[in-house]
Amino acid sequence: MKIPRQFILEIKRISWCILLLEIFILFLCSCSQKDLCYDHNHASRVNVKFDWRYSPESNASSMLLYLIPTDSNYRTIKKEFIGKQGGYLQALVGVNYQVLGFNSDIENIIFYEDEGKVMATTKEAVTIDAIGIPVNTLPRAEGTKNQRVVMEADSLWSSLSDKDVYITLEDNDNDRICYQTLYPRQRFCTYNIKVKKVENSDKICSLVAASVSGLAAGIRLSDGAKTAEKVIVPFSMSLTGDMELKGNFRCFGKIPDANISNKLVIYAILKDGSKWCYIYDITNQIDAACDPFKVTIVLDKLPIPNKIENNSGLTPGVSDWNVVDIPIKRSEEH
């Protein structure tokens, strides 16, 4: 029996209608309900701003942001920004982060992690630039032999967020931005050294070098807590028109330990080729400073000899340095 052609065409038309109806129903279902996604490898935006109310004098030119996960199974997210305002970065959804910010325009500082905390320390010094002599050939103050000699610190500001960043799936689905504000604080100290009277200053042939011992090797960026290692920081000093010797340097400050002494060592090379090393104990002045972030040391004199006599009673130090211990008078302890 032959099936009419018109009947076959009608069957095909009905089949296509049913297929299109099924597709339409599936499309409506997909639009009306969105399946939950439990894959946390989505990223969502975090907007971090820096408020400099506690360090208005900062001249930072670039900032580095760390999103540090409290779960060690996730990696730290890092992003650098030009300027000191902050900006956007991406955080994984469903991961709890601490936010750490600090300036990255540095030369002498090295950052490293210790038990999940970001630390800052300075590179080791090879020479004292002012006199161009390797540090391992210079005489040292008593009790400082095992202290490393490091470069001076850079200007450093840092802050840790008061609350953690946690972005939920709902936040991500609704394109919500997480806002955070950090309040950087100064983490470096400035030490200003002045010797009021330099005897026979015309005998000095170059810049004068100096160093201070018993200083902290580094700090923890989250709160500025100092590390326990003691180091020596060298710096340059120069003569002023009124025959005063002045110098300054940045460091991480003194370790908060009453048993730690701080020795200032001044190195001078004279025109006759002789090398002189003067040692002062400046512990009392550092401890008595009103502002530990800005310490001023004032000393009465630097006894540069006018003429070197044989058997002068001075103690030859390393590499034929003449080492002189200068007692500090009570009037010099400002």
Side-chain angles (χ1 to χ4, degrees):
M1 178 179 178
K2 186 177 180 181
I3 300 174
R5 183 172 179 274
Q6 186 173 357
F7 180 79
I8 294 173
L9 292 175
E10 184 67 18
I11 294 296
K12 287 184 177 180
R13 187 184 66 81
I14 294 172
S15 298
W16 276 108
C17 288
I18 293 173
L19 178 61
L20 290 173
L21 181 61
E22 289 177 345
I23 293 173
F24 181 72
I25 292 172
L26 288 174
F27 177 77
L28 287 178
C29 290
S30 66
C31 291
S32 62
Q33 181 176 350
K34 187 173 184 179
D35 293 333
L36 292 176
C37 176
Y38 294 96
D39 179 5
H40 288 183
N41 291 322
H42 296 298
S44 189
R45 288 194 299 170
V46 179
N47 183 11
V48 181
K49 293 186 178 296
F50 292 100
D51 185 324
W52 292 91
R53 66 182 65 182
Y54 299 120
S55 300
E57 75 293 343
S58 166
N59 58 353
S61 60
S62 62
M63 301 297 294
L64 192 59
L65 279 172
Y66 278 23
L67 294 184
I68 305 172
T70 54
D71 184 344
S72 60
N73 291 319
Y74 295 92
R75 65 179 180 86
T76 296
I77 297 172
K78 306 174 184 179
K79 187 171 183 181
E80 188 172 22
F81 298 90
I82 301 301
K84 60 179 187 177
Q85 284 71 43
Y88 288 91
L89 66 167
Q90 300 288 333
L92 292 179
V93 174
V95 180
N96 197 73
Y97 294 97
Q98 290 183 313
V99 186
L100 176 68
F102 52 95
N103 60 300
S104 56
D105 51 344
I106 50 90
E107 295 180 1
N108 298 340
I109 289 179
I110 300 171
F111 300 111
Y112 66 97
E113 291 191 23
D114 181 22
E115 297 182 352
K117 304 296 183 182
V118 183
M119 314 294 291
T121 188
T122 49
K123 302 174 184 177
E124 290 200 36
V126 178
T127 63
I128 294 187
D129 294 337
I131 53 179
I133 296 178
V135 296
N136 59 2
T137 66
L138 294 170
R140 297 193 181 192
E142 184 179 355
T144 66
K145 181 180 179 181
N146 295 325
Q147 296 184 26
R148 292 188 302 120
V149 183
V150 302
M151 297 180 178
E152 72 168 305
D154 299 293
S155 299
L156 182 64
W157 297 269
S158 69
S159 177
L160 183 70
S161 57
D162 293 330
K163 60 180 180 179
D164 294 350
V165 165
Y166 183 82
I167 299 171
T168 65
L169 286 170
E170 183 182 359
D171 292 333
N172 184 67
D173 292 342
N174 291 300
D175 294 324
R176 294 173 186 161
I177 297 174
C178 178
Y179 293 93
Q180 279 277 355
T181 301
L182 299 183
Y183 302 88
R185 294 179 182 270
Q186 181 175 326
R187 303 304 186 192
F188 67 96
C189 306
T190 301
Y191 280 39
N192 295 283
I193 314 292
K194 180 171 73 172
V195 183
K196 291 190 292 186
K197 182 180 179 182
V198 180
E199 299 175 353
N200 302 308
S201 60
D202 60 319
K203 305 298 181 183
I204 300 174
C205 70
S206 65
L207 290 175
V208 176
S211 68
V212 173
S213 62
L215 300 174
I219 61 163
R220 189 167 56 212
L221 287 180
S222 58
D223 57 7
K226 297 177 176 61
T227 57
E229 183 189 4
K230 302 182 294 293
V231 294
I232 298 170
V233 180
F235 58 100
S236 300
M237 301 188 76
S238 57
L239 286 166
T240 64
D242 52 2
M243 296 303 103
E244 290 186 342
L245 191 64
K246 292 184 178 180
N248 63 79
F249 66 98
R250 294 181 299 268
C251 63
F252 292 124
K254 178 177 178 174
I255 294 175
D257 186 339
N259 297 318
I260 301 299
S261 62
N262 303 99
K263 300 293 182 67
L264 168 67
V265 182
I266 297 177
Y267 303 96
I269 300 177
L270 307 189
K271 292 178 179 177
D272 62 7
S274 63
K275 294 179 284 189
W276 294 79
C277 169
Y278 300 90
I279 301 174
Y280 303 81
D281 189 328
I282 58 174
T283 308
N284 289 341
Q285 289 198 46
I286 291 179
D287 290 343
C290 297
D291 182 356
F293 290 97
K294 191 173 183 180
V295 177
T296 298
I297 308 297
V298 181
L299 303 168
D300 274 345
K301 67 176 182 178
L302 183 70
I304 299 294
N306 183 38
K307 183 178 180 182
I308 302 173
E309 301 290 346
N310 293 329
N311 301 319
S312 61
L314 298 171
T315 304
V318 179
S319 302
D320 299 325
W321 283 87
N322 297 291
V323 181
V324 185
D325 272 293
I326 307 294
I328 301 295
K329 298 178 182 178
R330 185 60 61 176
S331 61
E332 291 179 274
E333 296 175 359
H334 300 279

